[in-house]
């Protein structure tokens, strides 16, 4: 049997990393910060040593998971930021794409929930850089759309209300096993009809 090529090794590594990340997200939804590497290995149907080879502790694993989720979130909302239409229309589209991604991808939900909780479950300062990147790449562009679209003097307050609503709706549906029943259009329409009425 010939040794594996560099490409084969890289493909196996990528497959393992995806297995580990998906399992970590599922375990985090069940146990929160109490998750352990053993729980992730069990959920991924991998040996403890295999997971430990990639991640020496759960904080390293969660850090990778959240950075990956940041990239996924940014990709998901890009069409709204680059799209046509008024700023308020773009903000509505942004919210719709974000909620859809939250429902489909638990890592994105975990990121948004963790940011909303100000990383208070995580030790030390290791997540300051991630938080700064989230603010710069996701939050502030959204706030700017709200500011331009509504003329609001407190667009951050409106953005926070929307983020909180999206995270809350996703949490309810995830924890009650109702992901397939999320009415993304209805939720976003309801939020923005209220915002438009207030901001006029």
């Amino acid at each position: 049997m010939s040794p594996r090529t560099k490409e084969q090794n890289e493909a196996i590594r990528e497959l393992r990393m995806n297995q580990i990340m998906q399992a970590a997200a599922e375990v985090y939804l069940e146990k929160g910060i109490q998750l352990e590497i053993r729980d992730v290995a069990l959920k991924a149907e991998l040996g403890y040593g295999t997971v430990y080879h990639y991640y020496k502790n759960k904080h390293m694993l969660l850090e990778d998971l959240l950075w990956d989720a940041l990239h996924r979130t940014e990709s998901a909302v890009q069409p709204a930021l680059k799209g046509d239409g008024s700023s308020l229309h773009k903000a509505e589209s942004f919210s719709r794409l974000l909620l859809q991604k939250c429902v489909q991808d638990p890592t994105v939900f975990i990121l948004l929930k963790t940011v909303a909780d100000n990383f208070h479950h995580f030790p030390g300062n290791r997540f300051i850089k991630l938080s700064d990147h989230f603010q710069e790449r996701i939050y502030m562009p959204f706030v700017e759309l709200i500011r331009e679209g509504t003329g609001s003097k407190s667009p951050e307050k409106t953005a926070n209300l929307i983020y909180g609503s999206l995270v809350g709706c996703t949490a309810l549906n995830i924890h009650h096993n109702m992901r397939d029943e999320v009415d993304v259009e209805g939720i976003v329409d309801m939020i923005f009809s209220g915002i438009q009425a207030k901001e006029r």
Side-chain angles (χ1 to χ4, degrees), residues 87 139-149 155:
S87 294
Y139 181 72
M140 290 315 296
F142 183 62
V143 168
E144 197 52 39
L145 291 177
I146 298 290
R147 184 191 320 278
E148 291 171 4

Side-chain angles (χ1 to χ4, degrees), residues 6-155:
K6 183 180 177 185
E7 290 77 18
Q8 288 171 321
N9 282 333
E10 189 55 38
I12 290 169
R13 181 182 184 282
E14 192 171 330
L15 177 68
R16 290 282 180 266
M17 295 290 282
N18 286 337
Q19 274 181 280
I20 292 166
M21 288 293 176
Q22 185 176 353
E26 290 176 30
V27 173
Y28 189 90
L29 290 177
E30 294 166 8
K31 296 189 169 190
I33 198 68
Q34 302 305 317
L35 77 77
E36 295 296 339
I37 295 290
R38 289 187 191 285
D39 302 324
V40 175
L42 187 63
K43 182 72 81 173
E45 298 181 354
L46 295 170
Y48 174 76
T50 302
V51 178
Y52 187 77
H53 171 74
Y54 293 102
Y55 295 103
K56 303 302 181 206
N57 63 59
K58 67 182 180 183
H59 297 296
M60 288 173 65
L61 172 55
L62 289 171
E63 189 170 6
D64 252 18
L65 183 140
L66 292 174
W67 275 105
D68 186 56
L70 177 66
H71 298 305
R72 291 172 190 243
T73 304
E74 188 174 29
S75 295
V77 300
Q78 276 306 304
L81 294 173
K82 294 180 176 177
D84 296 326
S86 70
S87 294
L88 194 60
H89 176 75
K90 288 181 180 181
E92 190 170 346
S93 177
F94 181 107
S95 301
R96 192 174 289 110
L97 291 168
L98 190 59
L99 180 57
Q100 189 67 53
K101 192 66 176 173
C102 264
V103 171
Q104 293 170 346
D105 185 342
T107 65
V108 171
F109 167 70
I110 292 166
L111 172 67
L112 295 184
K113 175 106 172 54
T114 303
V115 169
D117 291 342
N118 202 25
F119 297 92
H120 80 273
H121 291 299
F122 296 89
N125 297 324
R126 71 188 306 152
F127 292 95
I128 288 175
K129 186 176 178 185
L130 175 63
S131 180
D132 289 346
H133 276 262
F134 181 87
Q135 294 292 319
E136 179 187 329
R137 292 156 58 181
I138 310 295
Y139 181 72
M140 290 315 296
F142 183 62
V143 168
E144 197 52 39
L145 291 177
I146 298 290
R147 184 191 320 278
E148 291 171 4
T150 65
S152 171
K153 293 178 182 174
S154 57

